[in-house]
Amino acid sequence: MRLPRFPRVIGFDDAPFARRAGSAVQLAGVVCAGTRFEGLVWGRVRRDGWNATREVCRLLEGGKFLPQLHLVLLDGIAFGGFNVVDLPELAARLGKPCVAVMRRPPDLDAVERALRRLPRADARWARLRRAGNIHQVGGFTFQVRGAEPSFVADALALVTDKGRVPEALRLAHLIGSAVLTGESSQRA
């Protein structure tokens, strides 16, 4: 796959959410061409639930944005606590490279300890591991299905304005925060 000058991506991030089990967590998906905002989708998942993969697919399948996308970006591998996205399934269903972007490599021992406090911990851990290796390429940290890490690093550089957070993910974070709390948070 060749990258255009302004790759079109969608970045998903969860909005602030209540800490009680099973609560609804709002999910913002921001479409950008390069770093320019072009569209928005909105959905919701359950805190520590099992519907994150299905919801991202629901928001894209049959819609106008999916055929235009080069990459699907996720802010981490889980939304609403530990509603873990099945990255291989997501990439297969959407037919697009899917990337879980992280600000830094996770402490996997701490993640596993946290998962052990939830129901079906082994299934959550298995889904997280199925996402594949964590890559550090071009200053970005990510897991990917459906593309080579070097391709993803090149694409992420083209859709990032400053720092190491792609613009679509930064905007999804800001919009989700503003919709729920009345103002955008400082940290994206």
Side-chain angles (χ1 to χ4, degrees):
M1 184 192 298
R2 257 184 67 153
L3 278 172
R5 185 171 167 205
F6 300 107
R8 184 161 286 157
V9 301
I10 188 165
F12 286 95
D13 195 9
D14 52 7
F17 55 92
R19 298 292 175 201
R20 64 183 187 280
S23 61
V25 177
Q26 302 300 311
L27 186 65
V30 170
V31 178
C32 287
T35 59
R36 187 176 125 203
F37 176 85
E38 294 215 329
L40 176 72
V41 297
W42 193 264
R44 71 178 176 187
V45 297
R46 289 270 160 229
R47 181 175 189 263
D48 298 330
W50 291 93
N51 67 330
T53 307
R54 187 172 58 250
E55 182 66 358
V56 171
C57 288
R58 184 190 72 77
L59 291 170
L60 293 175
E61 290 175 331
K64 68 180 183 179
F65 294 121
L66 184 59
Q68 306 167 7
L69 297 175
H70 295 97
L71 290 174
V72 175
L73 307 178
L74 312 174
D75 189 19
I77 194 65
F79 299 121
F82 282 109
N83 193 329
V84 182
V85 173
D86 187 327
L87 205 58
E89 179 184 334
L90 186 66
R93 279 188 62 180
L94 298 178
K96 303 289 180 181
C98 294
V99 185
V101 180
M102 297 161 250
R103 284 162 184 75
R104 70 190 71 73
D107 178 345
L108 292 177
D109 291 334
V111 170
E112 187 174 16
R113 282 192 304 276
L115 281 176
R116 295 288 166 207
R117 291 181 261 181
L118 296 170
R120 299 177 59 199
D122 289 335
R124 290 176 203 275
W125 183 247
R127 187 174 279 187
L128 193 144
R129 300 301 285 174
R130 255 192 329 271
N133 294 331
I134 297 170
H135 304 281
Q136 290 185 281
V137 183
F140 295 99
T141 303
F142 58 88
Q143 290 172 287
V144 59
R145 289 301 183 151
E148 291 298 318
S150 58
F151 172 85
V152 171
D154 290 346
L156 292 176
L158 291 172
V159 299
T160 302
D161 188 26
K162 294 180 184 175
R164 294 291 167 218
V165 179
E167 191 68 4
L169 290 177
R170 190 181 79 80
L171 290 171
H173 177 84
L174 293 172
I175 291 167
S177 295
V179 168
L180 257 57
T181 66
E183 65 182 0
S184 57
S185 70
Q186 296 174 347
R187 189 171 163 227

